[in-house]
């Protein structure tokens, strides 16, 4: 037997309704904010992620699924959604449209990492991307998209953490102070952090190794090194959140795991899915479009893991939707009915009535049992008498009550029900 690869998961037919439910909610919220869907390829040229995500990130260094295609080109399964959207924004000249450009995606992403609760090597993300606005109001609106999703799903125990990591100019001063602080303890840090010390010391703050976390817990705070513009931007974000009555916490330790972030970074965190409780993370990336080959254009957005979101809903005992069961099961009792049952069923399906019939040559008794097993809402028995008189009884499977209707007008019963 060939087993499923480690870190992947089948979504079985009796579980798919959970995905439909969550996807319908996120699409509905996106519509409320006038955000339109974009779909980008599952794989891109590897260079896109090297330039966009950053060669000091764990994603690029350790986690990407990269291979050579038949023409010896380096191709990578996308490890996150933003870089591909930035590439599409440039390549399709979306910058020439009236701004902002507001997009969302629902996509699989691939990372070779240790599987954990709500995080698989192939998992799925809902994300949004705003391009064209450098306003702090855009930052907060992006956060409100995420909050609106959580509110609509009934998730109320999340903590919104907000920080600013500044722009490249003020971050230079911070990096100098951080390196000065870390220098004496560098030999006690992990190999990855030692490599980051010269290339991108800010990324050391994102290390999950306990020894490194102990060393960095008293490190200088990036907020103390913001330039005037970045400080004003951060204060505007906080003021807007306060005006909206949104509970949040300024957390100077948030830096996010991707190199393209500038200024605002944020996370919605849950305590209900284990140690890795971030269910949504994002921020501003004003230099990303330029980094991947376009003209300077500000951007802001977030990514939200759907597996983690569903797990959070389940752990909180919240609704994940209901399994989709047929409206009607038709039992054929005679040869005439068996010959024409598909015609009757197809007419009902075209009228929007979810209809199931027997295709396994079951006995009458076995069909009754099957109708119960699949939780059909109603049942009809079709035989010679029903065909001759054009009358059938529709039985409510929950109450046992029956209603007589015309055989050729069954769909009207469901329109009125």
């Amino acid at each position: 037997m060939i087993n499923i690869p480690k870190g992947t998961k089948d979504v079985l037919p009796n579980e798919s309704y959970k995905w439909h439910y969550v996807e319908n909610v996120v699409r509905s919220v996106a519509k409320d904010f006038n955000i339109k869907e974009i779909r980008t390829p599952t794989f891109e040229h590897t260079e896109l992620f090297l330039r966009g995500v950053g060669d000091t990130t764990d994603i690029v260094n350790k986690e990407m699924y990269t291979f050579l295609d038949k023409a010896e080109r380096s191709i990578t399964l996308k490890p996150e959604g933003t870089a591909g959207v930035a590439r599409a924004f440039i390549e399709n000249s979306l910058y020439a449209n009236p701004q902002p450009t507001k997009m969302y995606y629902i996509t699989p992403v691939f990372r070779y990492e240790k599987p954990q609760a709500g995080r698989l090597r192939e998992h799925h993300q809902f994300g949004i991307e705003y391009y064209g606005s450098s306003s702090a109001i855009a930052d907060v609106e992006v956060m409100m998209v995420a909050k609106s999703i959580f509110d609509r799903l009934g998730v109320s125990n999340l903590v919104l953490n907000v920080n600013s990591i500044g722009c490249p100019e003020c971050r230079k001063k911070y990096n100098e102070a951080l390196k000065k602080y870390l220098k004496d303890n560098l030999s006690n840090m992990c190999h990855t952090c030692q490599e980051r010390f010269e290339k991108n010391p800010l990324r050391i703050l994102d290390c999950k190794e306990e020894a490194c976390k102990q060393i960095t817990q008293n490190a200088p705070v990036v907020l103390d090194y913001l330039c005037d513009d970045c400080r004003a931007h951060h204060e505007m974000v906080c003021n807007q959140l306060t005006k909206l009555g949104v509970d949040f916490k300024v957390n100077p330790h948030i830096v996010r795991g991707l190199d393209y972030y500038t200024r605002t970074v944020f996370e919605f965190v849950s305590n209900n899915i284990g140690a890795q409780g971030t269910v949504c993370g994002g921020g501003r990336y004003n230099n990303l479009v330029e980094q991947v080959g376009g003209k300077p254009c500000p951007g802001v957005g977030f990514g939200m893991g759907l597996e983690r979101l569903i797990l959070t809903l389940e752990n909180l005992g919240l609704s994940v939707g209901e399994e989709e069961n047929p409206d009607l099961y038709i039992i054929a009792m005679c040869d005439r009915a068996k010959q024409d049952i598909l015609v009757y069923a197809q007419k009902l399906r075209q009228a929007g009535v979810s209809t199931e019939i027997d295709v396994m040559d079951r006995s009458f008794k076995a069909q009754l049992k099957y109708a119960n097993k699949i939780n059909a809402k109603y049942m009809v028995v079709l035989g010679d008498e029903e065909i001759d008189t054009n009358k059938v009884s529709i039985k409510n499977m929950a109450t046992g009550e029956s209603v007589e209707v015309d055989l050729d007008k069954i769909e009207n019963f469901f329109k009125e029900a």
Side-chain angles (χ1 to χ4, degrees), residues 331-342:
I331 295 179
M333 284 287 290
C334 65
D335 289 340
R336 288 167 67 193
K338 290 177 181 179
Q339 289 295 321
D340 294 337
I341 193 169
L342 188 56

Side-chain angles (χ1 to χ4, degrees), residues 38 40 44 81-90 94 103 105 129 131:
I38 184 169
T40 60
E44 300 268 6
T82 298
V85 175
R87 191 266 314 146
F89 178 79
I90 300 165
L94 299 183
M103 299 170 281
Y105 55 81
E129 316 285 343
Y131 287 105

Side-chain angles (χ1 to χ4, degrees), residues 1-14:
M1 176 181 173
I2 300 174
N3 294 319
I4 192 170
K6 182 179 180 180
T8 62
K9 188 176 186 296
D10 296 314
V11 178
L12 301 177
N14 65 344

Side-chain angles (χ1 to χ4, degrees), residues 50-58 61 165 167-168 171-172 174-176 178-179 182 186 189 192-207 216 222 255-262 291:
L50 296 178
R51 294 170 63 179
V53 176
D55 59 6
T56 66
T57 63
D58 285 347
N61 286 332
I165 57 173
C167 65
R171 205 149 63 221
K172 284 180 184 177
Y174 175 66
N175 282 341
E176 289 174 5
L178 183 59
K179 288 172 71 173
L182 295 172
L186 190 60
M189 305 187 80
T192 300
C193 285
Q194 291 178 24
E195 288 185 339
R196 288 172 175 167
F197 182 79
E198 293 296 340
K199 294 181 179 179
N200 191 350
L202 184 69
R203 292 280 295 111
I204 293 175
L205 300 179
D206 197 45
C207 184
T216 59
V222 66
V255 297
R256 302 295 299 152
L258 306 171
D259 282 357
Y260 52 61
Y261 284 113
T262 56
Q291 286 170 0

